[in-house]
Amino acid sequence: MNRTNSSKSIRLLNYIEEKGNKLPHPVTIFILFTFIVIVLSHILYVMGTSVTFEGVNNETMETEMLTVEAVSLLVPEGIAYMFSNVVSNFTSFVALGPVLVAMLGVGVAEKSGYISALMTNTVTKAPKRFVTPIVVLMGVLSNVAASVGYVVLVPLGAIIFLGFNRHPLAGLSAAFAGVAGGYSANLVLGTNDPLLSGISTEAAKILDAGYVVNPTDNWFYMFASTFLIVILGTLITDKLIEPKLGKFVPTEPMGNQNNEVSAIEKKGLFWANISILLTILAIAILVVPENGPLRGEGGSIITSPFMSSIIFLMMVIFLIPGVVYGVVTKTVKNDKDIANLMTSSLETMAGFIVLIFFAAQFVALFNYTNLGTIIAVKGADLLQAIQLDGVLLLVALIIITTIINIFIAADSAKWAIMAPVFVPMFMQMGIAPEVTQVAYRIGDASTNIVSPLMPFFPLVVAFAQRYGKQNGVGTVISLMLPYSIMFLVCWTIFFVIWYLLGIPVGPGTNLNY
């Protein structure tokens, strides 16, 4: 491989990596931000800071001119609020419950081996000319199961390419581009949809207490984005990355690279897939008929028990085939094993739970002090003064997100910080929270693959070193940089066109607030 570590771009990214590694843990960042909110709230309170704007009255739910003043956290009432609401801030945080519930099902499907076998079986059966797009597509689809794509599909992509006598690092790059670069795209809902929509809901309530962003509210755009990412990922891999890598010459024996699905696993997949069809059929019986019990008032689907129960249904759709697969393949022998798989899946969420605890405190205190409203109104006034329109505002948010993403890799951590500022600010500019969330997701996903602080980046480097001990951080960044740039540019253009055409980003959504 022609190394490019000495190039300006790689030297810059290595510099960012070095400096980024010195940043504190996201938990510490939230603690620091919380202290900043406490101090800033008192300063603005003493200064008598207030804003007047047109908003929704939380009591009458009618639009009127509202005046909001800064509330101090260092007066007796503020101190009492901080101490007495710690638990409720955490347990009532919108993003917490949906993600944990979804993971009960997704975790069983992952831990029983069903998801791994399904991806392996799908990719290994692909005709040679379709290998690249299928690897990228499976990477995108794997995001429904959180981190399983990084652990299973990234190394599998290298193995598949090697099996077709292609360079394994090209397969690794294609899979990584799909998993991380296409993180926000998918044909179905993933665990990040309820997480981000929950944070967006909390942020939107700063201005409109009755506003709810549903997990499905970005689905139209993310569904279409899947095909864009697959096309771009395929072209970059086949036309740029693989020719640059040249022919793979192993420096040491590669060992057995066979990753076939065994007979018992195929049997498990068959019955698990049958169980999915039966589960979807059962759900359809409850939803499709006009008088179905999961229909809403007047037969509505958009506002209905079905939409309210989408997280539980997601859990069931993964739980049932996971159990069936486990029973057939003997990874599940009794009810205790099922409970243990659920427990194991939630254990992997421990870091997320700790992060959410501190993020919830920050968001709650930020909302209590009215800082979000003040910043939103002042920011909207500034943006109106410089006469930026909706498209330029959204593009600016995409760019800001890509920069922040280099330093704060966790999407939930970034959005928990950014949403309370940008969601209400853009609402003041007439942009719906669902659209603001889409812009954020584009910027976040595009630079995942070149962020050394992304939690799974070291794992990808380790996978790359299987095919050459000299492969390091610079190797992976140099391979992934073309994907990052092309994803960012083309995805942003696609989003601008989508927005200008006035197409809803999800069912029942509006582009304007």
Side-chain angles (χ1 to χ4, degrees), residues 5 26 36 62 71 85 108 123 153 156 162 219 262 265 268 275 316 342 375 422 426 438 463 506:
N5 290 11
I36 292 173
E62 295 181 356
V71 177
N85 287 276
V108 170
V123 176
L153 194 65
L156 180 61
L162 189 59
W219 183 54
S262 66
E265 289 175 332
S275 72
V316 171
M342 289 183 173
I375 294 173
F422 286 100
F426 282 27
V438 168
F463 290 144

Side-chain angles (χ1 to χ4, degrees), residues 126-435:
K128 185 174 182 179
R129 67 181 182 276
F130 295 133
V131 167
T132 305
I134 289 180
V135 167
V136 178
L137 176 61
M138 293 304 294
V140 174
L141 297 181
S142 72
N143 290 320
V144 75
S147 60
V148 67
Y150 295 104
V151 178
V152 176
L153 194 65
V154 172
L156 180 61
I159 292 172
I160 295 303
F161 267 52
L162 189 59
F164 281 98
N165 199 29
R166 300 175 63 180
H167 203 295
L169 289 186
L172 179 144
S173 301
F176 189 30
V179 175
Y183 184 70
S184 284
N186 217 313
L187 300 180
V188 296
L189 298 182
T191 52
N192 59 323
D193 288 289
L195 173 61
L196 297 180
S197 64
I199 295 173
S200 298
T201 296
E202 294 284 351
K205 287 180 177 178
I206 292 175
L207 289 187
D208 187 344
Y211 204 99
V212 176
V213 180
N214 293 307
T216 58
D217 282 354
N218 288 164
W219 183 54
F220 288 169
Y221 184 80
M222 295 309 161
F223 184 95
S225 295
T226 301
F227 300 97
L228 176 67
I229 294 300
V230 171
I231 293 171
L232 292 174
T234 300
L235 291 175
I236 295 168
T237 302
D238 292 348
K239 303 299 182 182
L240 179 62
I241 299 302
E242 196 162 16
K244 179 182 179 181
L245 287 168
K247 183 177 176 58
F248 175 63
V249 180
T251 56
E252 56 186 46
M254 300 309 305
N256 181 20
Q257 295 297 320
N258 181 34
N259 213 64
E260 296 283 334
V261 178
S262 66
I264 188 65
E265 289 175 332
K266 290 181 179 179
K267 183 179 179 182
L269 280 174
F270 174 80
W271 288 109
N273 292 337
I274 291 294
S275 72
I276 285 183
L277 294 177
L278 294 176
T279 302
I280 293 175
L281 177 62
I283 295 172
I285 292 174
L286 299 175
V287 178
V288 174
E290 291 185 6
N291 60 346
L294 292 185
R295 288 268 193 161
E297 186 177 350
S300 172
I301 291 181
I302 300 301
T303 306
S304 66
F306 169 70
M307 296 301 293
S308 301
S309 60
I310 195 75
I311 302 302
F312 170 71
L313 295 176
M314 184 193 303
M315 182 199 81
V316 171
I317 288 174
F318 280 95
L319 176 63
I320 291 177
V323 171
V324 170
Y325 178 86
V327 169
V328 175
T329 59
K330 308 300 182 184
T331 58
V332 172
K333 300 181 178 64
N334 50 48
D335 60 312
K336 294 180 181 178
D337 288 339
I338 298 174
N340 288 337
L341 290 179
M342 289 183 173
T343 301
S344 178
S345 67
L346 291 185
E347 286 174 352
T348 64
M349 301 298 291
F352 163 78
I353 294 172
V354 172
L355 178 63
I356 285 296
F357 173 81
F358 291 97
Q361 308 309 318
F362 164 74
V363 171
L365 297 183
F366 192 81
N367 292 343
Y368 175 83
T369 58
N370 291 329
L371 289 182
T373 303
I374 293 171
I375 294 173
V377 174
K378 296 290 187 182
D381 291 342
L382 176 62
L383 292 174
Q384 287 175 336
I386 60 178
Q387 298 182 335
L388 282 179
D389 61 17
V391 172
L392 293 178
L393 284 173
L394 292 167
V395 171
L397 175 58
I398 292 173
I399 296 172
I400 291 170
T401 304
T402 62
I403 297 172
I404 295 176
N405 194 36
I406 298 295
F407 303 100
I408 306 177
D411 61 336
S412 56
K414 286 193 299 294
W415 193 227
I417 294 172
M418 297 172 65
V421 175
F422 286 100
V423 168
M425 180 188 296
F426 282 27
M427 288 170 72
Q428 286 286 301
M429 300 295 294
I431 299 174
E434 297 87 347
V435 180

